[in-house]
Amino acid sequence: MARDRLKALEERTRYDPHEVEGLVFARWEEAGIFHPEPEESADENYSIALPPPNVTGALHMGHALNGSVQDACVRLARMRGRRTKWIFGTDHAGIATQVKVEEALAAEGKTKEDLGREEFVKRVWRWREEHGSRINDQYKRLGASLDYADERFTMDDDYVRAVMHVFVQLFEKGLVYRDNYMVNWDPGTRSAISDLEVVQRKVEDTLYLIEYPLESGSGSVTVATVRPETMLADTAIAVNPSDERYSRLIGEAAILPLVGRRLKVIADEYVDPEFGTGALKITPGHDPNDFEIGREKGLEEVTVIGEDGRITEAAPERFQGLAVDEARRAVVAALREEGLISGTQPYVHDVPHSQRSGRRIEPLISLQWFCDMTELARPAIEVVEKGRIRFHPESPWTDVYLRWLREIRPWCISRQLWWGHQIPAWYRADELYVGERPPDGDGWERDPDVLDTWFSSALWPFATLGWPGDTAEMRAFYPTDVLSTARDIIFLWVARMVMFGIEFTREIPFSDVPIHSVIQSPEGKRMSKSLGTGIDPLDEIESHGADALRFGLLAMASTQDVRYSAQRVKQGEDLANKLWNASRLILLGASEDRAPSAATAETVEDRWILSRLEHTTREVTELLDGFNFSPAALRLYEVFWSELCDWYLELAKPRLYSENNTAVSGVLLHALQRSLVLLHPVLPFVTEEIWSFLPGERGLLAIAQWPEPNDGLIDAQAEKQLGRVIDAVTELRSYRDAVGAKASAQIPARLLADGYDEASRGQIARLARFEFVADERADGDVLATLPIPGGAVQVLPSDAFDPQEGERKLAAKREQLRGEIERGERKLAIKGFVEKAPPEVVEEERRKLEEFRRALERLGR
RNA sequence: GGGCGCGUAGCUCAGUGGGAGAGCGCUCGCCUCACACGCGAGAGGUCGCUGGUUCGAACCCAGCCGCGCCCACCA
């Protein structure tokens, strides 16, 4: 049967991912190897929690890279025999999902208010049922070995219970509280948002200079503002205490124009005398700084801009109901009329905007839920300082993380949305009840707000495993091992998981945090669908194969942002094809009865390739363990392509095609098997497919054993010996190319060098297409003497090429050698170098100089 | 305003103190019985600029010029 399958290989000269990927994935799923039973302890087992994609989402390049990274880790662990779980699930993604469903409603001409809250939430669930499985299929296309059989969602009943539990616990501890406080109000989503959801954008504004008449009637104070409409809520004027221009005014009062309120002039260090006029209008209701000064000084807080973005009744009647920008024009006009605007100037500055809606943030005082983070941050700082959680690379992410946590501020966790975890707080008159279950009695009304999505995300590594229950899953897979992500959510998510993980499970949620590149568009822009700069990973899988995309992403990614490189993906595609064809050569040529495990070296090149494979095994294992995916992928490419295919396979062919090919078959099959194993975490599909053609009974490659490097096969002598053969062949090929010898012509020559046995001579001759003849002609006939390790090759006359060309090539070679010799001599003549450089460096320099001198000698002149 | 990072071959990027590397692209020669998504041989770089440390600098230090990111309450 295996033979019949092999037969079919003869026809398939190209690797076709389409034929293979779907079937291979089905084999993995049928075998159930992605779903581990919850047994043993987390120490023995291995787990990673996938950063949950949005239910609304489609796989983008970031997912594809992060998926490739995690899958490499997970597959490596699984092959090491660890019970391995890659936790799969999706995030309800409050705002993003709500907006999406609202858009769908809008297409029907409806708003969410038309449906009402309950109906709207039902609608979102229905939306999720229809679209939620798309992302699963996309991860499967990538080859991700996630535990699809045990999928989680942040709105599952169990998960909701965990979120409620956490909220209540934090409330009871006094860390979660409700307060009237300055928040970032997003007029777009009509919700408060956290500091992390705010982005600064440069905006061109006008700075207005406004005269505030003094109560005493002795003139006025001039203040500067870019938001004249907020003057309606001014409750003080502040100057710097050391500012002599104003010291006489401190304690006096001014009259707020248009409103008539009496404003005390106060002193505060915060005011910069250099900026504007040095006098600052204080608006505690609409400016974060003023808010803090106001709370400190006990100033009145007036709110003139409401959550609907319109002027409130706290303002004079003529402005009430106006939108903010209308109000600004009206206020400026009114002030102008009274001659109170003494100047304007253009002013460019950073202004906070909502990352979600893009609208300008309206800072205002609002009754919201907050979480005090200081106490939670302390242990989260400590575990990273002590190295119990390590970022990879350590610099700069460790410092970035620590700096943020050390200056952490309260987190506004309530959102004025309908889709999400509704806050478990109930109100009745002045009473407040917070609990996991609704309160007894009548008349209670539940807080309509939901929690920030990141609040529930912070529980992901343990709430997915059944916490707060004491489950077998928790025991088997928590703490997890690795958390892989790009840097953009280190604060939003990683730090919060660490804080909540330690607080609620008394364990760190993971121990290693590899931070990978952000992939930009080929033009260096952000990859974004709306900008049209996105490249769809599924398109890439479709046209190049999942293995190609995975290799490409891992190879191009490093620690800094990189531009998407189609060439790297192409390189991966070529590698898959190369692997396929090298396998055809080996599988179709090897003698039937050899098992790959029975490799016995017969020749120097056998010992060489076995040795190289052990080196590579050690190297690649170390690179992967250190989360250095790009060097690992490129190293595998190089070893497989150059060393195995270009050299070993070419050297092995004569023996493979001969009668007695048993020994070489064993080595070839071993080399192929080892290559497949090492490449599998990067190229799972093509390696699994080829694996199924290897002779003998074997299970799936995905659960085959990852090798321990065998130092017994390291053979420095064979490596040195074959290195000489390779150098000699390269030297002779270069010569024949330079002199324009016909590709098919054999060049007669004498090999005069030590350390080459009969087999080596034959190999050099065959690979360089030289014909080494016995010593029968006089030296005068020699056209050229080519230095090779341990001696030289004398080229004899023939009609293979024009000798003139040969002479030119030799002249160039001599020139090059003279340059090298001169360089070496100059270096060794420097006293400081010989005296201060390490002896082995000096020795190496002398050795090379000698070698160059000998080579030049052989070339003549 | 503070912090971090980047500037290396035409392009995209590796390389952290002892003779400049990869993939793609380019040039030349090959359909050599695994692969033309291939094989062989090449060309191509004052490693942003200026100083400094060192016997020796792409690599360490300082300054400058460009580009990017993160954090931050100067109206």
Side-chain angles (χ1 to χ4, degrees):
Chain A
M1 190 188 76
R3 277 285 126 177
D4 292 345
R5 292 190 65 218
L6 274 180
K7 267 264 170 359
L9 274 187
E10 281 180 43
E11 312 296 320
R12 295 163 70 184
T13 60
R14 276 188 198 174
Y15 171 64
D16 181 1
H18 291 103
E19 274 179 37
V20 170
E21 291 178 359
L23 295 172
V24 164
F25 199 90
R27 257 186 269 157
W28 290 330
E29 283 213 303
E30 276 161 33
I33 56 175
F34 298 166
H35 176 65
E37 290 308 317
E39 289 163 15
E40 303 173 306
S41 73
D43 281 352
E44 300 160 277
N45 299 339
Y46 187 91
S47 59
I48 297 184
L50 175 79
N54 295 356
V55 266
T56 61
L59 196 78
H60 61 237
M61 246 351 136
H63 294 130
L65 170 58
N66 200 203
S68 302
V69 165
Q70 292 168 84
D71 199 39
C73 295
V74 162
R75 285 182 184 272
L76 175 60
R78 195 181 286 118
M79 292 172 87
R80 278 172 163 163
R82 306 274 292 274
R83 186 181 300 275
T84 300
K85 184 183 180 81
W86 187 6
I87 301 165
F88 179 59
T90 50
D91 193 292
H92 68 284
I95 293 176
T97 310
Q98 174 159 331
V99 165
K100 214 153 215 175
V101 177
E102 278 186 86
E103 279 168 7
L105 279 177
E108 301 170 21
K110 290 188 207 153
T111 66
K112 66 177 192 299
E113 283 75 18
D114 293 341
L115 275 77
R117 181 164 186 157
E118 202 176 323
E119 205 41 48
F120 178 77
V121 169
K122 274 189 193 158
R123 187 67 185 248
V124 181
W125 277 102
R126 208 170 346 129
W127 198 93
R128 184 221 170 211
E129 275 155 34
E130 284 160 21
H131 304 275
S133 64
R134 177 174 58 167
I135 196 92
N136 304 29
D137 296 335
Q138 294 179 329
Y139 271 104
K140 289 180 184 178
R141 288 293 305 279
L142 186 68
S145 57
L146 285 152
D147 187 358
Y148 299 95
D150 194 21
E151 182 178 343
R152 291 298 141 89
F153 181 44
T154 52
M155 290 288 280
D156 286 341
D157 289 346
D158 286 349
Y159 203 105
V160 173
R161 270 194 288 278
V163 174
M164 296 301 122
H165 182 71
V166 164
F167 183 92
V168 172
Q169 294 283 306
L170 289 172
F171 175 80
E172 283 171 1
K173 233 183 156 175
L175 296 181
V176 154
Y177 56 93
R178 198 169 183 233
D179 194 12
N180 261 305
Y181 208 81
M182 173 72 45
V183 298
N184 305 299
W185 185 262
D186 175 6
T189 58
R190 293 211 169 182
S191 173
I193 60 177
S194 76
D195 296 340
L196 289 176
E197 293 163 299
V198 171
V199 288
Q200 304 291 332
R201 293 207 188 121
K202 285 231 181 306
V203 168
E204 263 183 61
D205 269 329
T206 303
L207 190 65
Y208 294 88
L209 299 178
I210 307 175
E211 301 299 322
Y212 285 19
L214 290 169
E215 191 182 36
S216 61
S218 56
S220 61
V221 182
T222 314
V223 300
T225 180
V226 291
R227 301 203 56 195
E229 70 279 13
T230 63
M231 61 94 66
L232 300 172
D234 285 359
T235 56
I237 289 172
V239 296
N240 192 291
S242 64
D243 192 337
E244 288 173 10
R245 291 173 296 173
Y246 296 113
S247 47
R248 65 183 177 86
L249 294 181
I250 296 170
E252 281 224 40
I255 301 299
L256 181 60
L258 309 182
V259 178
R261 192 181 301 128
R262 190 170 173 274
L263 307 179
K264 269 177 61 178
V265 177
I266 60 171
D268 197 292
E269 292 287 351
Y270 165 75
V271 181
D272 177 2
E274 305 291 309
F275 189 89
T277 62
L280 176 62
K281 69 194 253 315
I282 299 296
T283 321
H286 298 288
D287 182 279
N289 307 313
D290 297 4
F291 175 78
E292 293 207 0
I293 294 173
R295 285 268 159 124
E296 207 177 292
K297 298 274 186 346
L299 298 176
E300 193 190 347
E301 291 167 1
V302 178
T303 296
V304 296
I305 299 170
E307 294 182 350
D308 57 359
R310 292 184 178 276
I311 302 300
T312 67
E313 293 178 0
E317 202 175 342
R318 56 174 159 160
F319 301 113
Q320 288 175 17
L322 294 178
V324 169
D325 48 340
E326 293 167 352
R328 177 176 307 179
R329 284 192 292 273
V331 165
V332 169
L335 289 170
R336 280 232 157 86
E337 215 163 285
E338 298 192 18
L340 294 175
I341 295 200
S342 53
T344 63
Q345 41 185 284
Y347 182 61
V348 179
H349 62 148
D350 283 337
V351 175
H353 285 71
S354 164
Q355 206 172 43
R356 283 290 162 199
S357 66
R359 297 275 297 274
R360 190 166 173 155
I361 291 296
E362 198 60 69
L364 46 82
I365 297 171
S366 174
L367 186 56
Q368 301 284 346
W369 287 95
F370 294 88
C371 185
D372 182 0
M373 306 303 286
T374 337
E375 190 179 316
L376 297 173
R378 210 168 297 126
I381 290 169
E382 195 183 301
V383 294
V384 168
E385 280 176 340
K386 290 195 170 157
R388 292 183 55 214
I389 296 180
R390 286 183 309 275
F391 285 88
H392 305 273
E394 262 181 77
S395 168
W397 308 122
T398 308
D399 285 340
V400 167
Y401 169 96
L402 289 174
R403 237 192 304 271
W404 185 73
L405 280 177
R406 283 173 185 148
E407 282 164 36
I408 197 150
R409 295 164 45 188
W411 175 15
C412 176
I413 54 175
S414 46
R415 296 289 179 275
Q416 288 64 56
L417 305 174
W418 286 357
W419 174 241
H421 299 107
Q422 195 171 346
I423 290 174
W426 284 260
Y427 311 106
R428 184 168 68 184
D430 287 344
E431 290 177 87
L432 164 67
Y433 168 87
V434 172
E436 293 181 48
R437 298 168 173 286
D440 296 328
D442 296 328
W444 289 99
E445 199 155 327
R446 187 167 182 176
D447 193 312
D449 290 354
V450 301
L451 289 164
D452 181 2
T453 301
W454 294 107
F455 189 88
S456 53
S457 309
L459 320 180
W460 184 249
F462 44 100
T464 47
L465 296 171
W467 184 89
D470 176 22
T471 62
E473 280 80 7
M474 274 298 279
R475 287 192 295 274
F477 300 115
Y478 189 83
T480 66
D481 291 88
V482 167
L483 189 283
S484 169
T485 180
R487 61 180 150 63
D488 49 351
I489 51 177
I490 290 177
F491 307 146
L492 279 169
W493 193 46
V494 179
R496 286 166 177 172
M497 278 191 287
V498 177
M499 289 188 276
F500 278 25
I502 295 173
E503 172 69 17
F504 290 101
T505 70
R506 300 286 144 204
E507 305 246 32
I508 49 172
F510 34 74
S511 45
D512 290 281
V513 185
I515 301 291
H516 63 244
S517 301
V518 173
I519 308 268
Q520 301 174 327
S521 75
E523 296 76 34
K525 299 251 169 61
R526 229 181 101 79
M527 269 214 194
S528 146
K529 227 179 223 167
S530 51
L531 293 176
T533 50
I535 294 174
D536 187 343
L538 291 153
D539 289 346
E540 296 294 273
I541 289 174
E542 194 55 35
S543 43
H544 305 286
D547 288 331
L549 178 65
R550 293 170 58 121
F551 177 92
L553 287 173
L554 289 178
M556 77 181 82
S558 63
T559 54
Q560 59 167 333
D561 292 356
V562 289
R563 299 176 186 208
Y564 185 78
S565 163
Q567 298 95 315
R568 287 295 186 201
V569 177
K570 171 74 164 43
Q571 192 182 356
E573 186 179 4
D574 292 345
L575 177 60
N577 187 246
K578 188 76 173 175
L579 194 53
W580 180 258
N581 280 297
S583 303
R584 289 175 58 237
L585 170 75
I586 295 170
L587 292 168
L588 295 170
S591 63
E592 285 181 48
D593 52 345
R594 294 306 296 192
S597 51
T600 310
E602 188 177 53
T603 61
V604 179
E605 65 268 23
D606 288 354
R607 287 189 279 125
W608 174 75
I609 194 64
L610 293 176
S611 180
R612 294 303 307 147
L613 287 169
E614 296 308 322
H615 277 302
T616 305
T617 301
R618 181 178 296 285
E619 242 177 295
V620 169
T621 305
E622 282 171 7
L623 287 169
L624 290 175
D625 280 339
F627 305 101
N628 297 120
F629 301 100
S630 173
L634 294 172
R635 186 80 194 112
L636 283 165
Y637 175 95
E638 191 193 345
V639 170
F640 179 76
W641 201 299
S642 306
E643 299 188 359
L644 183 58
C645 292
D646 290 347
W647 288 105
Y648 185 72
L649 293 189
E650 293 307 323
L651 288 165
K653 272 177 184 176
R655 277 193 296 149
L656 180 65
Y657 292 138
S658 75
E659 279 297 301
N660 181 8
N661 68 359
T662 330
V664 74
S665 295
V667 176
L668 282 165
L669 286 166
H670 169 83
L672 175 59
Q673 171 180 267
R674 176 61 61 87
S675 302
L676 294 174
V677 169
L678 295 181
L679 282 161
H680 185 256
V682 180
L683 309 176
F685 288 109
V686 67
T687 51
E688 185 74 79
E689 176 68 3
I690 296 168
W691 184 262
S692 72
F693 288 98
L694 287 179
E697 276 305 308
R698 63 192 61 253
L700 290 164
L701 171 57
I703 48 173
Q705 202 188 2
W706 187 265
E708 285 293 321
N710 175 0
D711 287 343
L713 290 176
I714 301 284
D715 190 332
Q717 201 238 338
E719 296 207 27
K720 193 174 173 202
Q721 221 173 321
L722 209 82
R724 290 155 56 93
V725 171
I726 288 172
D727 288 348
V729 170
T730 305
E731 185 64 36
L732 299 186
R733 279 173 174 171
S734 174
Y735 176 79
R736 67 175 300 142
D737 204 71
V739 298
K742 286 192 209 82
S744 55
Q746 295 284 326
I747 296 178
R750 284 193 291 242
L751 191 149
L752 307 171
D754 298 328
Y756 297 91
D757 60 14
E758 204 49 45
S760 300
R761 287 164 172 266
Q763 285 168 335
I764 294 168
R766 184 171 60 84
L767 295 178
R769 301 194 183 205
F770 270 58
E771 188 182 5
F772 294 133
V773 298
D775 220 3
E776 58 199 10
R777 281 180 253 199
D779 280 357
D781 287 334
V782 171
L783 289 179
T785 305
L786 309 175
I788 63 169
V793 166
Q794 291 183 331
V795 181
L796 299 170
S798 72
D799 54 5
F801 64 92
D802 174 6
Q804 296 278 304
E805 288 293 330
E807 192 40 54
R808 225 172 296 159
K809 152 84 179 166
L810 290 178
K813 183 83 189 172
R814 280 187 209 102
E815 202 44 53
Q816 188 206 335
L817 283 171
R818 282 194 202 101
E820 299 282 14
I821 289 164
E822 196 194 332
R823 192 199 134 275
E825 285 173 339
R826 212 182 318 124
K827 193 158 187 181
L828 285 165
I830 299 168
K831 211 172 149 206
F833 174 71
V834 181
E835 282 171 4
K836 295 191 184 174
E840 62 271 22
V841 174
V842 178
E843 194 41 52
E844 174 66 8
E845 206 57 49
R846 291 209 171 97
R847 195 192 61 73
K848 282 188 292 194
L849 179 60
E850 267 321 296
E851 198 176 294
F852 291 133
R853 280 183 174 144
R854 271 202 304 274
L856 184 62
E857 191 130 337
R858 281 187 218 107
L859 276 182
R861 245 181 292 168

